[in-house]
């Protein structure tokens, strides 16, 4: 009788240990997934701020559209407004794609491959956004000047100093942002690898 009781107690204890181990593993996996999402939120916060800035800029250009005189500047204003609405959409959609890696339902290799594919697409779309942002800058500067009632030629040192410095600043800032995003994506990929290990 004692042997049977010991056997039952041992089995009961084994089941509790297995259950506890399973719960611990689930908690650890959940924590790693939260850490994964937290890393991507760093990119998200920047993109949300950029979206607000773009929409404010689009609203400003729309409200001041009547101050733009020439047909060329009106076309530039329309292009700038469209870009200010399109750029955030591209960024947020590409970020959402990276966030939507379904980690728990995939095998380790599949999750890593899916993330790598989405990461490459995200990086390409961010580079497209930099190009479109530079183009936006080129068309928006004359429009903003027109809204203020000045021709660009009237602004002293515009072509020799202000415009080149603005382009350099924009490109340096864009490269810094891309480098930061790539660092976050690399850290996120490491977390994804740790989830499945």
């Amino acid at each position: 009788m004692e042997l049977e009781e010991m056997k039952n107690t041992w089995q009961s204890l084994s089941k509790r240990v297995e259950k506890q181990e399973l719960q611990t593993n689930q908690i650890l996996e959940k924590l790693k997934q939260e850490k994964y999402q937290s890393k991507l939120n760093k990119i998200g916060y920047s993109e949300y701020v950029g979206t607000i800035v773009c929409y404010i800029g689009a609203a400003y250009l729309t409200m001041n559209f009547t101050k733009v005189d020439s047909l060329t500047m009106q076309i530039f204003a329309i292009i700038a407004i469209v870009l200010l609405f399109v750029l955030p959409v591209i960024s947020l959609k590409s970020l959402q794609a990276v966030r939507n890696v379904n980690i728990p339902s995939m095998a380790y290799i599949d999750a890593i491959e899916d993330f790598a594919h989405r990461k490459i697409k995200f990086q390409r779309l961010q580079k497209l956004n930099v190009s479109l942002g530079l183009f936006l800058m080129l068309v928006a500067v004359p429009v903003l000047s027109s809204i203020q009632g000045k021709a660009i030629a009237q602004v002293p040192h515009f072509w020799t100093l202000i415009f080149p410095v603005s382009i350099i600043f924009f490109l340096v800032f864009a490269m810094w942002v891309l480098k930061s995003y790539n660092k976050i994506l690399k850290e996120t990929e490491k977390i994804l690898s740790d989830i499945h290990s």
Side-chain angles (χ1 to χ4, degrees):
M1 190 75 164
E2 286 182 21
L3 185 61
E4 191 65 32
E5 284 179 26
M6 284 178 59
K7 191 176 177 183
N8 288 339
T9 306
W10 182 257
Q11 286 176 346
S12 174
L13 185 61
S14 291
K15 286 180 183 180
R16 274 193 263 160
V17 169
E18 285 176 14
K19 186 178 178 183
Q20 185 125 21
E21 189 176 310
L22 181 65
Q23 288 175 339
T24 303
N25 288 340
Q26 288 173 342
I27 290 169
L28 287 173
E29 186 174 315
K30 186 176 180 183
L31 288 173
K32 288 178 181 179
Q33 286 177 351
E34 287 174 4
K35 193 173 178 183
Y36 171 85
Q37 291 298 330
S38 174
K39 282 288 182 192
L40 291 177
N41 284 342
K42 289 180 182 179
I43 295 174
Y45 298 140
S46 301
E47 292 300 319
Y48 295 136
V49 169
T51 298
I52 292 168
V53 169
C54 284
Y55 289 162
I56 289 171
Y60 176 80
L61 290 179
T62 303
M63 290 188 304
N64 291 295
F65 188 77
T66 56
K67 294 180 182 177
V68 179
D69 302 357
S70 72
L71 179 62
T72 306
M73 288 302 123
Q74 289 176 344
I75 292 170
F76 280 6
I78 291 169
I79 291 170
I81 291 168
V82 168
L83 284 172
L84 286 167
F85 280 113
V86 169
L87 288 171
V89 171
I90 293 171
S91 285
L92 294 176
K93 289 277 187 187
S94 64
L95 178 61
Q96 192 62 36
V98 173
R99 277 189 173 153
N100 285 344
V101 174
N102 195 353
I103 299 167
S105 68
M106 295 182 151
Y108 171 71
I109 298 295
D110 294 337
I112 296 292
E113 286 177 1
D114 188 36
F115 178 81
H117 174 71
R118 290 171 188 247
K119 179 178 90 169
I120 290 168
K121 188 174 180 183
F122 174 82
Q123 290 169 328
R124 284 184 188 152
L125 289 172
Q126 289 302 314
K127 288 176 184 173
L128 172 66
N129 264 2
V130 169
S131 301
L132 290 175
L134 188 57
F135 180 66
L136 170 65
M137 193 170 155
L138 294 174
V139 296
V141 167
V143 172
L144 292 172
S145 180
S146 179
I147 288 172
Q148 294 175 355
K150 295 180 182 177
I152 290 179
Q154 294 174 334
V155 178
H157 307 291
F158 180 79
W159 293 113
T160 57
L161 183 65
I162 297 171
F163 189 70
V165 168
S166 299
I167 296 291
I168 290 168
F169 175 77
F170 174 83
L171 291 174
V172 167
F173 179 74
M175 293 305 124
W176 174 76
V177 168
L178 289 177
K179 186 177 176 183
S180 298
Y181 283 5
N182 287 335
K183 180 181 174 192
I184 291 170
L185 288 172
K186 191 175 277 189
E187 291 169 359
T188 306
E189 192 168 20
K190 184 180 180 330
I191 291 168
L192 184 61
S193 298
D194 291 346
I195 288 173
H196 291 287
S197 61

